[in-house]
Amino acid sequence: MGFVDHAEFHAAVYDIVRLIPFAQVTSYGHIAKLAGMPNHSRHVGQALKFLPPNTNPPIPWHRVIGASGTISSRGPGTNGAQRQRDALVAEGVEVTTGRTGELRVDLGRYGWFPSVDEFRAAQEGDDEEEGEA
DNA sequence: TAATTGACTTCTG
DNA sequence: ACAGAAGCCAATT
């Protein structure tokens, strides 16, 4: 699986994010792992930042949070984390707000962390447009 | 070319 | 549970 260029990595990230089940969440690091690049968690976030607003099919970027179950705050003055919280709540995911304003999801209940094997199986059963010979 | 940045993760105390 | 530090690596300054 080694990717030779940036675009391929982004495409792989998008494909994986699309497969996150409704009302479930996973982490940047786990997506990097499924993409075969376990040390690129930060770049998964970069890929999502590059994501255009209107995609077809839609890419559920809001289902990607930190490994500790917290929604990454894009810094004060931005509402990205708030929008992510709203999108998750709209799917029925419980998002708790901690004492210091951190937004947290219970990974035990909503976490989606399939092994690479399970992920590939899901990819075959759920999406066959990839031209898998 | 070197330093900084960041939608991260993990370990320590 | 929380804070700090180290490790990480492509993109950006």
Side-chain angles (χ1 to χ4, degrees):
Chain A
M1 213 30 120
F3 298 105
V4 294
D5 86 352
H6 185 238
E8 251 184 89
F9 177 67
H10 277 212
V13 168
Y14 297 157
D15 284 343
I16 295 167
V17 172
R18 264 201 293 269
L19 290 179
I20 304 174
F22 183 85
Q24 294 200 251
V25 298
T26 192
S27 73
Y28 300 96
H30 194 75
I31 289 176
K33 206 174 296 182
L34 292 181
M37 305 190 111
N39 298 337
H40 286 58
S41 51
R42 311 186 87 128
H43 303 288
V44 172
Q46 284 296 100
L48 295 185
K49 187 166 61 175
F50 274 102
L51 190 59
N54 304 316
T55 60
N56 191 6
I59 298 178
W61 56 270
H62 54 276
R63 295 180 192 149
V64 185
I65 64 180
S68 55
T70 59
I71 294 176
S72 309
S73 83
R74 278 70 144 185
T78 63
N79 63 337
Q82 292 273 317
R83 292 194 296 104
Q84 183 166 7
R85 192 262 317 267
D86 293 343
L88 287 173
V89 170
E91 293 190 352
V93 175
E94 288 181 28
V95 180
T96 66
T97 301
R99 190 161 41 80
T100 62
E102 77 235 18
L103 304 173
R104 182 177 294 265
V105 173
D106 184 349
L107 293 181
R109 269 175 46 125
Y110 302 102
W112 181 76
F113 298 96
S115 68
V116 176
D117 288 342
E118 291 169 325
F119 165 69
R120 277 211 248 273
Q123 208 172 23
E124 287 178 13
D126 197 71
D127 175 68
E128 321 191 7
E129 323 303 303
E130 296 302 315
E132 189 72 21

